[in-house]
Short mmCIF file of all heavy atoms in Angstrom, two decimals:
data_model
loop_
_atom_site.label_atom_id
_atom_site.label_comp_id
_atom_site.label_asym_id
_atom_site.label_seq_id
_atom_site.Cartn_x
_atom_site.Cartn_y
_atom_site.Cartn_z
N TRP S 361 -103.20 104.76 103.98
CA TRP S 361 -103.83 105.08 105.26
C TRP S 361 -104.44 106.48 105.16
O TRP S 361 -104.03 107.40 105.87
CB TRP S 361 -102.78 105.05 106.38
CG TRP S 361 -102.21 103.69 106.61
CD1 TRP S 361 -101.17 103.10 105.93
CD2 TRP S 361 -102.63 102.73 107.57
NE1 TRP S 361 -100.94 101.85 106.42
CE2 TRP S 361 -101.81 101.60 107.44
CE3 TRP S 361 -103.62 102.74 108.55
CZ2 TRP S 361 -101.95 100.47 108.23
CZ3 TRP S 361 -103.75 101.61 109.35
CH2 TRP S 361 -102.93 100.50 109.18
N PRO S 362 -105.45 106.66 104.30
CA PRO S 362 -106.05 108.00 104.13
C PRO S 362 -107.02 108.34 105.26
O PRO S 362 -107.14 107.59 106.23
CB PRO S 362 -106.78 107.87 102.80
CG PRO S 362 -107.21 106.43 102.77
CD PRO S 362 -106.09 105.67 103.45
N PHE S 363 -107.72 109.46 105.12
CA PHE S 363 -108.74 109.88 106.07
C PHE S 363 -109.60 108.67 106.44
O PHE S 363 -109.96 107.91 105.56
CB PHE S 363 -109.61 110.99 105.44
CG PHE S 363 -110.69 111.48 106.32
CD1 PHE S 363 -110.43 112.44 107.28
CD2 PHE S 363 -111.98 110.99 106.20
CE1 PHE S 363 -111.44 112.90 108.11
CE2 PHE S 363 -112.98 111.44 107.04
CZ PHE S 363 -112.72 112.39 107.98
N PRO S 364 -109.91 108.42 107.70
CA PRO S 364 -109.80 109.32 108.83
C PRO S 364 -108.45 109.28 109.55
O PRO S 364 -108.30 109.94 110.58
CB PRO S 364 -110.91 108.84 109.76
CG PRO S 364 -110.93 107.37 109.55
CD PRO S 364 -110.63 107.19 108.08
N TYR S 365 -107.50 108.48 109.07
CA TYR S 365 -106.22 108.40 109.76
C TYR S 365 -105.43 109.69 109.62
O TYR S 365 -105.52 110.38 108.61
CB TYR S 365 -105.39 107.23 109.21
CG TYR S 365 -106.05 105.91 109.45
CD1 TYR S 365 -106.73 105.27 108.43
CD2 TYR S 365 -106.04 105.33 110.71
CE1 TYR S 365 -107.37 104.06 108.66
CE2 TYR S 365 -106.68 104.12 110.94
CZ TYR S 365 -107.34 103.49 109.91
OH TYR S 365 -107.98 102.31 110.14
N VAL S 366 -104.66 110.00 110.67
CA VAL S 366 -103.85 111.21 110.65
C VAL S 366 -102.37 110.82 110.65
O VAL S 366 -101.99 109.77 111.15
CB VAL S 366 -104.15 112.14 111.85
CG1 VAL S 366 -105.58 112.64 111.78
CG2 VAL S 366 -103.86 111.47 113.18
N TRP S 367 -101.59 111.70 110.10
CA TRP S 367 -100.14 111.57 110.08
C TRP S 367 -99.58 112.75 110.84
O TRP S 367 -99.77 113.90 110.43
CB TRP S 367 -99.62 111.53 108.64
CG TRP S 367 -99.95 110.23 107.99
CD1 TRP S 367 -101.17 109.84 107.51
CD2 TRP S 367 -99.07 109.15 107.80
NE1 TRP S 367 -101.07 108.56 107.03
CE2 TRP S 367 -99.81 108.12 107.19
CE3 TRP S 367 -97.72 108.94 108.08
CZ2 TRP S 367 -99.23 106.89 106.86
CZ3 TRP S 367 -97.15 107.73 107.75
CH2 TRP S 367 -97.91 106.71 107.14
N VAL S 368 -98.93 112.48 111.93
CA VAL S 368 -98.35 113.52 112.77
C VAL S 368 -96.85 113.51 112.50
O VAL S 368 -96.21 112.46 112.62
CB VAL S 368 -98.64 113.26 114.27
CG1 VAL S 368 -98.06 114.37 115.12
CG2 VAL S 368 -100.15 113.13 114.50
N ILE S 369 -96.32 114.65 112.12
CA ILE S 369 -94.90 114.74 111.76
C ILE S 369 -94.23 115.77 112.66
O ILE S 369 -94.69 116.90 112.78
CB ILE S 369 -94.72 115.12 110.27
CG1 ILE S 369 -95.42 114.09 109.38
CG2 ILE S 369 -93.24 115.23 109.93
CD1 ILE S 369 -95.42 114.44 107.90
N GLY S 370 -93.15 115.35 113.28
CA GLY S 370 -92.37 116.23 114.13
C GLY S 370 -90.96 116.38 113.57
O GLY S 370 -90.54 115.63 112.70
N LYS S 371 -90.27 117.37 114.09
CA LYS S 371 -88.92 117.66 113.63
C LYS S 371 -87.92 117.30 114.72
O LYS S 371 -88.01 117.82 115.85
CB LYS S 371 -88.81 119.14 113.27
CG LYS S 371 -87.52 119.55 112.63
CD LYS S 371 -87.60 121.01 112.19
CE LYS S 371 -86.31 121.48 111.62
NZ LYS S 371 -86.39 122.87 111.18
N ASN S 372 -86.98 116.40 114.41
CA ASN S 372 -85.96 116.01 115.38
C ASN S 372 -85.23 117.23 115.92
O ASN S 372 -84.93 118.17 115.19
CB ASN S 372 -84.94 115.06 114.76
CG ASN S 372 -85.44 113.64 114.71
OD1 ASN S 372 -86.27 113.22 115.51
ND2 ASN S 372 -84.94 112.87 113.76
N LYS S 373 -84.97 117.21 117.21
CA LYS S 373 -84.25 118.25 117.95
C LYS S 373 -85.05 119.55 118.09
O LYS S 373 -84.53 120.54 118.56
CB LYS S 373 -82.89 118.53 117.31
CG LYS S 373 -81.98 117.31 117.25
CD LYS S 373 -80.65 117.66 116.64
CE LYS S 373 -79.81 116.42 116.45
NZ LYS S 373 -78.55 116.71 115.79
N ASP S 374 -86.33 119.57 117.65
CA ASP S 374 -87.15 120.77 117.77
C ASP S 374 -88.58 120.36 118.13
O ASP S 374 -89.45 120.28 117.27
CB ASP S 374 -87.13 121.56 116.48
CG ASP S 374 -87.79 122.93 116.63
OD1 ASP S 374 -88.39 123.20 117.70
OD2 ASP S 374 -87.71 123.72 115.68
N PRO S 375 -88.84 120.09 119.42
CA PRO S 375 -90.15 119.60 119.81
C PRO S 375 -91.29 120.59 119.62
O PRO S 375 -92.45 120.22 119.75
CB PRO S 375 -89.98 119.24 121.29
CG PRO S 375 -88.75 119.93 121.74
CD PRO S 375 -87.89 120.15 120.53
N SER S 376 -90.99 121.83 119.29
CA SER S 376 -92.07 122.79 119.04
C SER S 376 -92.65 122.63 117.64
O SER S 376 -93.69 123.21 117.32
CB SER S 376 -91.56 124.22 119.21
OG SER S 376 -90.63 124.56 118.19
#
Side-chain angles (χ1 to χ4, degrees):
W361 295 84
F363 179 83
Y365 297 101
V366 297
W367 287 76
V368 181
I369 302 175
K371 187 174 177 180
N372 279 333
K373 301 181 186 177
D374 189 352
S376 68

